[in-house]
Amino acid sequence: MPNVSGKAYGLTTFCPIRNGHKEGMANSSLLRKRLQELPENEGSPMAKVSDTYMARFYILDDAIFESYPARLDRLQSKYLVFTSNFHGDLDTYLTGMWNSINPIIKQLWADCVGFEKVDSARSFVEYIKKCQLTNTFFFNGSTDESLQEQLKSLFLKQEFSKFVFAHQGVPAKQLLQDFKDFVAWSKPKVLSSPTWKAGACSPDGICIK
Amino acid sequence: METLLDLYDIQGNIMKNYAEAGFVKARYLFFKLNNGDQGRTFVNSVIPFITSSAPWTDGDENADGVLWPEAATNIAFTYNGLKNLGISVQTLQSFPDEFIVGMRGRRTILGDNGPSDPARWDPVWHEEIHIFLSIDAQTDEAVEKRYNQIMDVLTLHQLDKVILLDGHRGNKNEGTKKYQDASVLYESGVPTSKEHFGYTDGISNPFFKGMTADMGELVGGGKKNTKGNLGYGNPELQSTWLPLETGEFILGHKDEALEYPVAPMPPLMAKNGSFMVYRKLHENVGKFNLFLDEKSKNFPGGKELLAAKFVGRWRNGVPITTFPDEKDADELAMKRQKAIQLITLAKTPAEKIEAQAAFREINKKFHAYDYNEDLNGGRCPVGAHTRRANPRGSLEFGNKKAFDSPSAVDNRRRIIRRGLPYGLTEDPAGNDGNHGTIFMSINASIKRQFEFVLQQWINYGNDFKLANDKCPILGNHSELNGKGEGRMVFGSNSITDDPPYFLNELPRFIETRGGEYFFIPSLTALRMIAEGIVDPT
């Protein structure tokens, strides 16, 4: 089945950007600038869209064939490329995306052909589907679980490993009590908290570049 | 077809382990050239001293080789050195990027941060270094004699623009020195192969096509056999191993990808040459001893076993995966120690050759092993230093035939290890002072071999399924509020029923104090450099 691997979905979309310019800049350049100004990691708007494993935006200028002889296919428009790997089905995901970050969506897609008709979750889903490219070679680099489940697992794995290192050789009775305290604090069955934040690159939010 | 190498053209530090030949003293000199003509005169004048890889004989005129030398001398160049010697832009630009940039520029990849930051290296490494010249000999006197011969070259030819660089950190109250001395360490007057933490060092080296039996060990030193299931055989059997391709270590020869390695142009410049990494590694002896004392209090196996788990060998050098019992290991180590002593005590070249042969026989037990019976690290932890640096075909994790051969993914990451300890540990509880290891790595590609091993296998753990755990001993562990943040897991042992053990708070035991990347030309290329006739067209 195209676009799908287990419970993961690989969405690939190309939305044409209207030719033209504003304030001395091409529409596509303005959009690229807006994308480059988006906050990263926890601050990224896509971190607010539930079940996003990994999303990417870029601008496709032209299609370049880089072999011999090199060839340039000039496209009729430039495209906003939006790809996302997520958990679940497409309609639910896009509806959730609209409901979480529609002011950002409106900003990013503002200059895309036909987007002026989008004013609701439903019309957004329809619009994105029109831009969609069927993806037949989708490799899911994540597990099949929901994002919340995965973030909680990651959190538990790291916290439990800290617990293990801190409790080497602790007498059994004390160890049992400490472990009970650890379980009570870490709440393995409660996905919402405590857990890793979506988009965070470390538990304390520090990113090494 | 048998690989025949022109041993008379390849510099001796590539094929020969000088220390094993009883050359237990060394001095490393670094020069800066302020004038190309003088530089070439200098290089030309030291060529007669340069030691090749040819066999050493006892003077028998019928034997192949050269007379056993009093001292061995080798030479190598940095990118800037070659530039100052007048090598053309075309040839210079054909060198690999990492060599052009140099060690300082690669510090992020090498993990040289915090106390290892180049800003804190010995003063000499703040200069632009052009030439490396090494002297290896049996005694301090022989080293000094060769050093004077080299210095006389400068006087004789009035080479005032060839500067021997000062700035090697010396011992306490000694100031800086004009050279880096190195020597084996002695215990009660007896030479050992130990470094300052007490580990026997520099045991394993790769075995490649063109080497003869007296140059190394095929069994354990080669790669795993690629034919059928032979590579999964008993590691003590000859048939389990094959020699590595020469091109992994010497340029101008076929490598493990069955290609000629990336090398500078023209081919004559590269052929029979190699690249060398030089690193001065300071050892925080006090930190190490304190950590071992503290952590072994709660470790069921005791202090020596804990020390062995770090490295994968008992401190006497015996591998723990095949000799998990300390007594057996001690017995074997004693035999090896005696064999080494006999090499240094040998008076005639004939005695020396005989003593070396005896040593190699015992030394086999130190090489002829792998981890097939110890995949989860119950005896030798998967994250132990020697297992990281040379996984010996264990990266299939028991999934037979996952690769073309059991060692397919480590065959291209092997390095020739050279070097000696430097300085003395005056205070076993102190970290200051000037003592550590001069580490040298010889390989066809610094990037693919040395840098990869350091970045991915020493300072990271993903390839071993150890997440971001670093090598316990050499890893650049961070420290917070005086406590190390490194950690290590010892696998469970199904034979002894030992549960896994978790070790934490590993601090930075080893710090970089300097280093650089060098090109070791062949004798032919060396003559061409000296004559100024390297023609890139």
Side-chain angles (χ1 to χ4, degrees), chain B residues 112-382:
Chain B
D112 283 335
N113 56 14
S116 297
D117 191 291
R120 302 177 59 166
W121 290 0
D122 285 6
V124 70
W125 303 105
H126 297 257
E127 305 273 349
E128 191 175 291
I129 285 165
H130 294 156
I131 297 182
F132 160 88
L133 195 137
S134 62
I135 301 169
D136 290 83
Q138 203 166 336
T139 61
D140 288 326
E141 293 70 37
V143 169
E144 188 68 24
K145 187 175 164 193
R146 176 57 53 86
Y147 171 71
N148 288 330
Q149 286 170 325
I150 302 291
M151 289 297 108
D152 286 349
V153 166
L154 298 180
T155 326
L156 183 70
H157 296 277
Q158 298 178 323
L159 302 177
D160 59 329
K161 300 266 163 62
V162 177
I163 314 293
L164 175 65
L165 292 172
D166 199 331
H168 300 271
R169 201 180 309 204
N171 296 328
K172 244 183 209 167
N173 310 323
E174 214 179 32
T176 58
K177 296 184 111 180
K178 282 191 289 186
Y179 40 74
Q180 178 68 56
D181 274 332
S183 162
V184 295
L185 300 178
Y186 291 80
E187 272 174 7
S188 331
V190 180
T192 70
S193 343
K194 291 184 175 176
E195 48 68 67
H196 293 276
F197 294 155
Y199 292 100
T200 303
D201 194 19
I203 301 172
S204 266
N205 261 314
F207 188 88
F208 55 91
K209 283 183 182 170
M211 280 182 131
T212 50
D214 61 323
M215 292 175 179
E217 300 282 348
L218 165 69
V219 176
K223 61 179 177 182
K224 288 296 183 71
N225 200 331
T226 44
K227 247 192 207 158
N229 279 322
L230 284 175
Y232 297 99
N234 179 343
E236 293 201 14
L237 291 178
Q238 189 107 350
S239 59
T240 305
W241 305 87
L242 288 175
L244 287 144
E245 292 293 340
T246 315
E248 291 296 316
F249 308 100
I250 303 178
L251 302 173
H253 300 270
K254 204 167 67 179
D255 66 19
E256 281 293 328
L258 307 184
E259 293 171 336
Y260 285 92
V262 176
M265 291 299 280
L268 212 46
M269 177 73 167
K271 193 179 178 187
N272 290 337
S274 192
F275 288 100
M276 185 187 87
V277 175
Y278 177 101
R279 266 164 99 73
K280 181 177 181 176
L281 301 175
H282 174 71
E283 299 185 55
N284 288 316
V285 175
K287 230 183 216 182
F288 179 79
N289 287 335
L290 181 68
F291 185 83
L292 204 54
D293 284 342
E294 285 296 316
K295 290 290 178 181
S296 60
K297 279 180 194 157
N298 296 318
F299 181 61
K303 186 168 159 179
E304 278 312 309
L305 183 64
L306 185 63
K309 293 277 186 187
F310 289 171
V311 164
R313 292 181 185 272
W314 295 95
R315 284 207 270 190
N316 57 31
V318 178
I320 44 172
T321 189
T322 40
F323 288 84
D325 188 273
E326 194 178 351
K327 266 189 206 150
D328 298 343
D330 282 347
E331 212 170 282
L332 182 66
M334 282 296 278
K335 279 191 200 163
R336 185 175 185 268
Q337 192 56 41
K338 277 183 191 150
I340 293 171
Q341 210 177 335
L342 286 178
I343 296 174
T344 43
L345 290 178
K347 295 217 166 56
T348 66
E351 276 176 27
K352 246 177 231 170
I353 290 164
E354 197 186 325
Q356 275 182 294
F359 166 76
R360 272 196 300 276
E361 196 49 42
I362 295 165
N363 203 33
K364 230 178 205 166
K365 288 284 177 202
F366 288 68
H367 297 273
Y369 67 94
D370 61 20
Y371 302 106
N372 282 347
E373 304 298 321
D374 191 14
L375 286 173
N376 69 345
R379 277 171 277 159
C380 173
V382 178

Side-chain angles (χ1 to χ4, degrees), chain A residues 158 161-162 164-166 168, chain B residues 487-489 501-504:
Chain A
Q158 293 205 319
S161 108
K162 278 185 208 162
V164 168
F165 277 95
Q168 177 111 284
Chain B
R487 55 194 206 178
M488 186 183 187
V489 179
Y501 192 83
F502 304 91
L503 186 71
N504 64 352

Side-chain angles (χ1 to χ4, degrees), chain B residues 58-85:
Chain B
D58 56 2
D60 178 359
E61 280 181 20
N62 297 318
D64 177 37
V66 295
L67 193 65
W68 198 283
E70 267 188 76
T73 303
N74 292 103
I75 192 166
F77 304 93
T78 61
Y79 173 82
N80 284 320
L82 294 171
K83 192 171 150 189
N84 277 273
L85 283 162

Side-chain angles (χ1 to χ4, degrees), chain A residues 40-44 47 151 154 195-207:
Chain A
E40 295 179 318
N41 304 317
E42 289 164 80
S44 162
L151 289 172
L154 189 60
T195 184
W196 261 48
K197 284 183 189 158
C201 45
S202 72
D204 49 13
I206 295 169
C207 298

